[in-house]
Amino acid sequence: MSTETFGKWYREDRLPHIFCTGCGNGTVMNCTIKAVDAMGWEIDDTIFVSGIGCSSRAPGYISTDSLHTTHGRALAFATGVKMANPDLHVVVFTGDGDLAAIGGNHFIHACRRNIDLTVICMNNMIYGMTGGQGSPCTPVGKISTTTPYGAAEPAFDLTELAVAAGANYAARWTSYHVAELIKAIRAGLETPGFSFIEALVQCPTAYGRRNKFRQVGEQVEYMRSHAMLLQKKRRLEEQGKDVPDDMFTVGEFVRRYRPALGVRK
Amino acid sequence: MRLVIDERRCKGCNLCTTVCPYHIFQEGRHLNERGIAIPVLDRPERCTNCRLRRLYGRQLCGACQLICPDQAIYWEEDDPYAAEKVVIEY
Amino acid sequence: MTTLEFMQGNAACCEGALAAGCTFFGGYPITPSTEIAEQMALKMPKRGGVFIQMEDEIASIGAVIGASWTGARAMTATSGPGFSLMMENLGYAVMTETPCVVVNIQRGGPSTGQPTMSAQGDMLQCRFGSHGDISTIALVPSTVQEMFDLTVKAFNLADRFRVPAFLMSDETIGHMREKISIPDSVEIIPRKEPKPGMLIYEAEEDMVPGFPTFGKGYRAHITGLTHNERGYPEATNPELHEALVRRLVDKVESRRHEIADYDAVNTDAETVFITYGPSTRTVRQVLHDHPDETIGHLNLRIVWPFPEDTLKLFPNAKTFIVPELNLGQMAREIERHVTGQRVISMGRLGGTIHTPAELYDKVQEVA
């Protein structure tokens, strides 16, 4: 994790990127690159794949071969890349709308196949690129342009979904917990089979602004103060104590070694 | 090592001001020509990575660089290297 | 050396793909193309290739495009409903110039229609189905032998022009069993590598850029957004977008006469049948029954890009009769290119093919 090798992963000629001021996607990119760099992978044998949305613009700023595909289909393209050449390390950037809405089917099937991909989902709980419409991960009651009276539908818990669908590794952190996020991504990269890392990110422009987070820092502070470690939540439940409603769980949800697809034997 | 904010990349989100254990980053007050208030560095020589990177031979702390969504924070080599006495208040 | 076999059209397609060096098949079962996936599942692993059954057709074409970027010759096979699902990603393949082969064993539509019956209702969809202006290559076999030959050709054309190539067959040919001779080896035209110093999307003289295979150090960024020659998105530049889309269309359209593959019979005739696919067989029967050389026949094996110069091969033609298993999709294209000749569309729906008597009656009626 030296400073010198960090910069080489970015296409310096393309920065600054298009993300809004304070967007957490850039932080998740940093963490991913730190983890990939720490794995000792080379730029030329790593592939970044993404779909459509804010998160999916990330591979365009990374020096490796990268595939910016159609909306929701990143996992399908990544499956093709990985199966056709298992020597390549394939990392997928995706967002909550891309992965859970239009790409939901590809997501559960990639988990089921347990194909050797690492998927990093930047969950900003909103469709950011189209201007802030409700996504399957918008929490109940939150305001977006298509849920002007508050989101009425329950949100997906993507990490639990990955666990249930059969992923070998699943973890959730936020763009505030950078050190933990790097460790989780590293663990995901190391684990053969499907690894899913959900990174909750702040979206000050499309989400925070409509939901009482007036400054970038306020939403980051919310993520810091409302994150509850999975172990703590389980302990509270064992003790029969109440888990506060407004807390979300973070941590490593599963790490297992089921047979995986697309691993070079 | 010397801590640097790349003014061409910084978008002024001030996330760095929230994570530095020494509060080296302070919210900027003056807009630059792009209309962005770049955070100012308050005694950056206190930065752990600046002081001890050579000694440990690896990246230390680095929370500001990691959380910076705009890849605007990095360290430059100070040439020639000269040891400095630094007062650290916690 | 060749091997003589008696096999089904779909199996011949699979043999053609394997002979052409296809190493990746991503598919989803759909009648009447399923046999291709079944054969691939059986044969691909023995040859070190990859067969993967995806969760739907959208994922199938996605996986095929992804595999293609690693340098593999990749293909999928489907039918009408699946083909409709693939449209978005096929546009992506055109925009990113990804070579791949899509086999469409057409069935009766719209919607679920007639799964076990024959049709040619997707002929315009393969050309105009994806949003935006695109140009593609569509090959139509009329025999089981052509199923083999054109599959090989589709791979070569896809790699040469960096476009998705469509094998637009139908249930009749797909499920027909015929004698076929399989050569020991076939001609393979490999993809062009990028020349040193050229940018990722910098086109060469033939308007086709070299293919920067993933993992070879080209560090290519591939996006479906309007991109510049470096491959970087630049979606709000009007001149760039126009130049890019014009090049994508022109690289195929400007070579349509070079690509063209057809048979022209009895070129002095006044009444000429223009056919592709199963109607070719019926017209051949008509010509066989009436060997007086008064009926012309143009059989197109490549319908897109449409080789309009082939119409001039019949200088005495007064009438073109176009029997096809749709309501005149290609007849409309032929009407655009004729110079005064009458175009009679003999559209047919329902899943059965034209009979020789019907076609001959039409000739009599016209004459």
Side-chain angles (χ1 to χ4, degrees):
Chain A
M1 275 212 227
S2 65
T3 325
E4 292 76 25
T5 57
F6 182 61
K8 73 170 187 185
W9 288 87
Y10 282 108
R11 292 181 196 265
E12 303 268 346
D13 55 336
R14 292 214 61 211
L15 294 174
H17 46 55
I18 62 160
F19 302 136
C20 309
T21 303
C23 171
N25 289 354
T27 308
V28 179
M29 272 168 77
N30 287 342
C31 296
T32 308
I33 283 186
K34 281 275 178 193
V36 168
D37 197 34
M39 289 292 287
W41 293 355
E42 293 297 326
I43 292 181
D44 292 338
D45 61 16
T46 310
I47 311 288
F48 284 88
V49 183
S50 66
I52 293 291
C54 291
S55 59
S56 301
R57 296 301 286 259
Y61 303 104
I62 298 174
S63 308
T64 65
D65 286 321
S66 47
L67 200 55
H68 178 221
T69 70
T70 47
H71 195 20
R73 319 300 175 198
L75 284 171
F77 285 78
T79 301
V81 172
K82 186 65 187 178
M83 290 302 289
N85 188 352
D87 289 335
L88 298 173
H89 307 294
V90 184
V91 182
V92 179
F93 280 123
T94 183
D96 52 325
D98 197 45
L99 186 82
I102 189 164
N105 198 21
H106 307 305
F107 177 44
I108 55 172
H109 281 277
C111 290
R112 171 185 65 82
R113 278 190 193 107
N114 212 355
I115 181 161
D116 189 22
L117 304 172
T118 302
V119 177
I120 295 149
C121 175
M122 305 175 190
N123 180 358
N124 57 5
M125 300 171 276
I126 203 93
Y127 285 88
M129 188 148 274
T130 47
Q133 293 75 31
S135 89
C137 294
T138 306
V140 172
K142 296 296 181 188
I143 308 295
S144 72
T145 56
T146 51
T147 57
Y149 309 109
E153 301 168 8
F156 254 137
D157 185 328
L158 294 176
T159 311
E160 292 284 12
L161 185 62
V163 175
N168 259 358
Y169 182 87
R172 180 192 295 129
W173 288 101
T174 76
S175 56
Y176 171 79
H177 301 90
V178 283
E180 292 85 351
L181 184 59
I182 292 174
K183 275 187 204 141
I185 296 173
R186 175 90 198 259
L189 298 171
E190 281 170 349
T191 311
F194 193 87
S195 308
F196 178 72
I197 296 101
E198 180 183 356
L200 291 175
V201 293
Q202 70 277 15
C203 176
T205 307
Y207 182 82
R209 166 166 80 95
R210 297 196 179 90
N211 289 288
K212 296 181 182 147
F213 299 119
R214 298 206 172 272
Q215 295 295 324
V216 175
E218 287 175 32
Q219 197 177 351
V220 177
E221 171 58 25
Y222 176 88
M223 293 197 295
R224 187 192 70 75
S225 56
H226 288 70
M228 180 184 276
L229 202 62
L230 183 67
Q231 285 84 342
K232 184 179 177 190
K233 185 187 169 214
R234 288 186 179 150
R235 198 167 60 238
L236 287 178
E237 282 169 350
E238 274 169 25
Q239 292 166 350
K241 290 181 186 161
D242 284 344
V243 180
D245 286 341
D246 58 345
M247 301 290 273
F248 59 88
T249 43
V250 293
E252 185 178 295
F253 282 59
V254 72
R255 190 194 304 217
R256 58 196 167 194
Y257 295 91
R258 290 180 174 175
L261 191 70
V263 183
R264 180 67 89 191
K265 290 180 185 74
Chain B
M1 304 287 278
R2 198 157 56 84
L3 190 59
V4 183
I5 300 180
D6 188 336
E7 294 216 4
R8 292 163 305 164
R9 292 190 189 165
C10 176
K11 293 174 186 159
C13 67
N14 287 321
L15 280 177
C16 47
T17 64
T18 64
V19 294
C20 179
Y22 300 119
H23 302 287
I24 288 174
F25 299 89
Q26 301 288 330
E27 283 193 29
R29 303 241 173 268
H30 303 289
L31 301 180
N32 67 5
E33 69 274 20
R34 287 164 60 222
I36 290 165
I38 310 278
V40 287
L41 300 176
D42 174 22
R43 288 164 289 159
E45 62 276 10
R46 294 178 298 158
C47 162
T48 321
N49 196 44
C50 294
R51 286 183 288 123
L52 301 174
R53 194 188 183 295
R54 288 194 168 240
L55 186 63
Y56 285 79
R58 64 181 170 87
Q59 164 102 51
L60 297 155
C61 181
C64 52
Q65 187 189 39
L66 283 175
I67 205 151
C68 175
D70 300 305
Q71 291 79 39
I73 298 174
Y74 55 93
W75 289 270
E76 273 182 354
E77 284 295 339
D78 252 345
D79 281 319
Y81 174 72
E84 265 185 80
K85 191 177 178 189
V86 174
V87 181
I88 306 290
E89 75 277 24
Y90 293 96
Chain C
M1 275 294 291
T2 57
T3 319
L4 285 182
E5 298 240 17
F6 182 69
M7 66 164 66
Q8 196 191 41
N10 282 344
C13 173
C14 171
E15 290 298 331
L18 293 173
C22 172
T23 53
F24 186 94
F25 184 93
Y28 187 82
I30 182 168
T31 306
S33 79
T34 314
E35 292 83 1
I36 299 176
E38 288 173 349
Q39 290 284 317
M40 282 291 189
L42 195 65
K43 292 181 174 167
M44 202 56 117
K46 293 181 183 170
R47 302 190 181 211
V50 177
F51 168 84
I52 186 162
Q53 184 173 324
M54 297 301 287
E55 53 272 17
D56 55 27
E57 284 88 351
I58 302 172
S60 303
I61 184 67
V64 162
I65 294 170
S68 181
W69 277 102
T70 68
R73 282 195 150 184
M75 102 168 191
T76 183
T78 188
S79 187
F83 198 57
S84 297
L85 285 179
M86 289 182 183
M87 279 304 137
E88 187 197 7
N89 283 346
L90 286 171
Y92 178 84
V94 171
M95 192 60 152
T96 56
E97 301 180 63
T98 312
C100 57
V101 172
V102 178
V103 180
N104 182 357
I105 309 295
Q106 296 169 87
R107 67 192 221 184
S111 188
T112 315
Q114 294 178 293
T116 60
M117 301 295 267
S118 191
Q120 293 180 305
D122 310 346
M123 295 314 296
L124 291 183
Q125 191 183 18
C126 76
R127 174 69 179 76
F128 300 105
S130 195
H131 57 276
D133 288 288
I134 64 170
S135 187
T136 53
I137 298 176
L139 306 92
V140 187
S142 60
T143 64
V144 172
Q145 181 69 51
E146 281 182 2
M147 205 68 168
F148 179 92
D149 297 341
L150 293 186
T151 306
V152 175
K153 190 164 189 163
F155 276 103
N156 285 337
L157 287 171
D159 278 358
R160 187 176 149 209
F161 290 99
R162 286 188 61 182
V163 287
F166 300 100
L167 189 76
M168 299 298 289
S169 189
D170 60 285
E171 191 273 338
T172 311
I173 310 296
H175 283 161
M176 177 190 293
R177 283 170 202 272
E178 259 186 340
K179 187 176 83 175
I180 162 176
S181 78
I182 297 179
D184 285 346
S185 67
V186 295
E187 186 199 10
I188 291 175
I189 302 169
R191 284 178 204 172
K192 219 167 33 171
E193 297 260 323
K195 292 207 176 91
M198 288 190 84
L199 299 173
I200 296 300
Y201 276 105
E202 193 174 339
E204 294 175 23
E205 278 176 12
D206 59 354
M207 293 193 260
V208 184
F211 188 83
T213 309
F214 277 8
K216 302 251 186 206
Y218 294 109
R219 303 190 181 178
H221 179 56
I222 307 305
T223 175
L225 286 163
T226 296
H227 44 265
N228 57 24
E229 289 184 334
R230 304 180 70 88
Y232 294 167
E234 215 174 296
T236 50
N237 181 339
E239 292 82 23
L240 180 76
H241 181 81
E242 176 157 6
L244 173 65
V245 176
R246 278 193 190 277
R247 178 174 70 76
L248 294 180
V249 173
D250 286 349
K251 71 175 176 182
V252 178
E253 292 294 323
S254 66
R255 286 198 174 66
R256 60 190 180 278
H257 300 301
E258 192 186 317
I259 303 171
D261 187 357
Y262 55 87
D263 300 315
V265 180
N266 299 341
T267 48
D268 295 330
E270 292 187 355
T271 308
V272 179
F273 281 109
I274 301 179
T275 62
Y276 55 95
S279 4
T280 299
R281 306 176 70 93
T282 318
V283 173
R284 284 194 178 135
Q285 184 64 45
V286 173
L287 266 58
H288 178 264
D289 296 342
H290 307 276
D292 53 0
E293 301 191 356
T294 55
I295 306 171
H297 181 205
L298 174 65
N299 168 41
L300 298 174
R301 277 187 286 269
I302 292 187
V303 293
W304 300 117
F306 186 76
E308 80 268 14
D309 278 5
T310 52
L311 301 178
K312 296 179 190 146
L313 295 170
F314 299 89
N316 304 331
K318 292 202 172 73
T319 312
F320 290 118
I321 306 177
V322 190
E324 49 187 337
L325 304 184
N326 53 47
L327 293 180
Q329 297 194 1
M330 290 311 294
R332 182 186 290 243
E333 179 70 15
I334 293 162
E335 273 171 13
R336 289 179 59 211
H337 297 293
V338 290
T339 44
Q341 299 95 330
R342 186 152 65 121
V343 177
I344 297 177
S345 166
M346 280 188 78
R348 184 187 179 94
L349 298 177
T352 56
I353 65 172
H354 297 83
T355 61
E358 272 175 71
L359 296 191
Y360 190 66
D361 287 351
K362 196 65 165 184
V363 175
Q364 301 294 76
E365 189 188 312
V366 170

